[in-house]
């Protein structure tokens, strides 16, 4: 126990004295949470801008109350119905200055007030498929309501949509678990690989091997320091995210994120052991760690949702431990899920850690080659 405590203290002091390590393992991930949390704090449905050329009866006849509701998702700028106005509006769409143009083909190019027709033309740009889809969706909704009003028949079916989460859910509910998982992964992989290589180069590993200190004490101290770092990261992340400015709402069994962080740290430490076993310099260890952690963070959805990603990306992400760690932490932190979500992931991470630790043991070297 004395050897374990002494080694733990030495490793912790060594970490705190390394300003670069403290920045990249503690402060750098936290900057992403603070920045992204502020940027996406008040996200709402995207608003599109459309130019109406001339008179379009469907839009001109919208009641004042419905027009106010429409402004929340679409801003309509009306111009005269001249040919020049139409050409200018289409040019704006091509340049990206507006999202769409609506007009009645029989009246466009003539003076306003020539009389509406039944056909409505919509022009959008293919350069931004997301905005084009939003414009089509809103315009189609307006036309459907006008058609129902014209027939005098109420719709046979009505669709009511809502989020499955509580109405208080904000973007921070999705950012915190993903960024926390990335921070845990980066701290475990970088810290383990860098220290292993540095200790080998400085012959500290060989001195420990020859010293009357058991290997279990060395390994336990290293694991303890990394777990302490990960739990500190978790406390800081959650402490900032729950501030009223960001508004994170913790679900009932949110504390299950702690054993998930512990098992996740062990899993990513095993990756760091493999990297540290094969790397011959601190620079090589850092480079290999970045090549592993950063792409994994993007492919696992730590920074953005993968719903619109290509199918091969979503398939690949299913084989990445960070994807499952982030999903499980999101489940227990934001979605009110419990042991049924956390236990399988914890078991999978421990199995992953055991396999890679065995591989690292086969590759381990006490001395630099």
């Amino acid at each position: 126990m004395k050897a374990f405590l002494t080694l733990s203290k030495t490793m912790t002091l060594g970490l705190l004295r390394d300003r670069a390590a403290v920045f990249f393992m503690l402060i750098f991930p936290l900057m992403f949470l603070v920045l992204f949390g502020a940027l996406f704090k008040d996200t709402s449905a995207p608003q599109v801008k459309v130019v109406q050329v001339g008179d379009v009866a469907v839009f001109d006849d919208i009641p004042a109350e419905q027009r106010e509701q429409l402004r929340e998702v679409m801003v309509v700028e009306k111009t005269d119905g001249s040919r020049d106005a139409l050409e200018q509006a289409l040019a704006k769409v091509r340049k990206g200055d507006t999202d769409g143009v609506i007009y009645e083909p029989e009246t466009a190019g003539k003076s306003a007030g020539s009389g509406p027709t039944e056909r409505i033309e919509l022009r959008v740009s293919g350069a931004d498929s997301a905005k084009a889809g939003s414009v089509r969706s809103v315009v189609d909704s307006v036309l459907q309501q006008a058609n129902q009003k014209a027939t005098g028949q109420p719709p046979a079916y009505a669709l009511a949509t809502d989020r499955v989460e509580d109405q208080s859910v904000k973007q921070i509910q999705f950012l915190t678990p993903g960024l926390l998982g990335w921070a845990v992964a980066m701290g475990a992989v970088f810290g383990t690989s860098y220290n292993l290589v540095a200790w080998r180069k400085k012959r500290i590993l060989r001195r420990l091997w020859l010293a009357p200190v058991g290997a279990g004490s060395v390994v336990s101290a290293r694991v303890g320091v990394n777990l302490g770092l990960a739990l500190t990261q978790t406390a800081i992340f959650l402490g900032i995210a729950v501030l009223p400015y960001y508004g994170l709402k913790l679900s009932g069994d949110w504390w299950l994120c702690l054993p998930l962080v512990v098992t996740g740290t062990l899993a990513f430490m095993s990756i760091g052991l493999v990297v540290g076993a094969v790397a011959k310099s601190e620079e090589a260890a850092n480079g290999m760690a970045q090549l592993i952690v950063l792409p994994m963070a993007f492919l696992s959805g730590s920074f953005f949702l993968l719903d619109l990603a290509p199918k091969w990306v979503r398939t690949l992400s299913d084989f990445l431990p960070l994807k499952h760690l982030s999903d499980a932490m999101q489940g227990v932190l934001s979605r009110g899920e419990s042991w049924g979500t956390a236990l399988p992931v914890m078991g999978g991470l421990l199995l992953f850690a055991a396999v890679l630790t065995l591989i690292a043991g086969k590759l381990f070297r006490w001395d630099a080659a």
Side-chain angles (χ1 to χ4, degrees):
M1 179 59 70
K2 183 178 180 180
F4 167 76
L5 294 176
T6 302
L7 286 170
S8 297
K9 181 180 178 180
T10 302
M11 292 177 186
T12 302
L13 292 175
L15 173 64
L16 295 177
R17 288 169 183 164
D18 190 340
R19 296 181 180 178
V22 171
F23 175 78
F24 282 105
M25 288 191 286
L26 278 175
I27 301 177
F28 186 61
L30 191 61
M31 289 170 56
F32 276 80
L33 177 68
V34 173
L35 177 62
F36 286 176
L39 288 176
F40 300 112
K41 184 170 69 75
D42 297 318
T43 52
S44 58
Q47 190 180 58
V48 295
K49 184 178 179 181
V50 172
V51 176
Q52 176 185 328
V53 180
D55 293 333
V56 178
V58 171
F59 282 84
D60 292 338
D61 295 340
I62 297 177
E65 183 179 351
Q66 294 181 11
R67 189 177 296 276
E68 287 298 323
Q69 296 176 355
L70 181 63
R71 283 199 188 97
E72 296 180 3
V73 292
M74 186 169 72
V75 175
V76 180
E77 175 190 348
K78 186 175 180 179
T79 65
D80 64 74
S82 65
R83 176 63 61 182
D84 289 340
L86 177 60
E87 293 299 331
Q88 291 174 8
L90 293 174
K92 286 184 177 181
V93 175
R94 296 188 189 98
K95 293 178 181 179
D97 295 334
T98 192
D99 302 314
V101 175
I102 53 174
Y103 63 95
E104 295 181 352
E106 298 298 330
T107 59
K110 301 179 182 180
S111 60
S114 299
T117 63
E118 296 182 358
R119 183 178 174 185
I120 306 298
E121 292 285 345
L122 171 65
R123 295 291 180 265
V124 294
S125 173
D128 190 339
S129 58
K131 280 290 182 69
S134 298
V135 174
R136 291 192 189 98
S137 177
V138 175
V139 173
D140 184 61
S141 176
V142 173
L143 294 180
Q144 286 185 22
Q145 292 183 21
N147 289 333
Q148 292 168 4
K149 184 178 179 181
T151 60
Q153 297 294 327
Y157 300 95
L159 176 64
T161 60
D162 204 350
R163 294 183 304 192
V164 296
E165 297 89 359
D166 184 82
Q167 289 295 332
S168 61
V169 169
K170 300 180 180 180
Q171 192 71 14
I172 195 69
Q173 304 288 136
F174 305 98
L175 287 173
T176 303
L179 292 177
L180 178 56
W182 169 60
V184 168
M186 188 166 67
V189 175
F190 277 81
T192 305
S193 60
Y194 182 87
N195 277 277
L196 188 56
V197 173
W199 282 22
R200 185 186 298 116
K201 286 188 65 177
K202 296 175 181 178
R203 303 182 69 84
I204 296 177
L205 283 180
R206 184 167 181 81
R207 292 172 191 166
L208 290 173
W209 181 36
L210 298 174
V213 178
S217 297
V218 178
V219 174
S220 299
R222 182 70 259 174
V223 171
V225 170
N226 277 81
L227 289 178
L229 172 66
L231 293 174
T232 301
Q233 286 176 320
T234 303
I236 296 174
F237 263 70
L238 296 183
I240 291 179
V242 298
L243 292 174
Y245 179 78
Y246 295 107
L248 174 67
K249 303 294 183 182
L250 297 175
S251 63
D253 290 331
W254 66 269
W255 58 269
L256 283 174
C257 72
L258 299 179
L260 282 168
V261 166
V262 171
T263 53
T265 300
L266 296 177
F268 288 103
M269 279 190 69
S270 67
I271 297 177
L273 289 174
V274 175
V275 172
V278 299
K280 296 183 179 181
S281 66
E282 292 94 331
E283 293 78 11
N286 282 335
M288 293 175 64
Q290 289 180 17
L291 287 175
I292 294 172
V293 176
L294 195 56
M296 188 186 298
F298 281 100
L299 294 173
S300 299
S302 296
F303 301 103
F304 53 84
L305 295 175
L306 297 178
D307 296 346
L308 300 179
K311 184 178 180 180
W312 68 267
V313 173
R314 286 181 273 122
T315 301
L316 178 61
S317 69
D318 291 335
F319 294 93
L320 302 177
L322 184 54
K323 167 68 160 49
H324 298 283
L325 175 63
S326 298
D327 283 352
M329 286 206 292
Q330 188 176 108
V332 299
L333 282 173
S334 304
R335 297 174 178 165
E337 298 173 5
S338 188
W339 288 102
T341 296
L343 273 179
V345 175
M346 286 190 281
L349 290 173
L350 290 176
L351 179 61
F352 180 87
V355 172
L356 262 70
T357 300
L358 290 176
I359 296 174
K362 298 293 183 180
L363 302 173
F364 180 78
R365 294 172 287 112
W366 288 98
D367 283 319

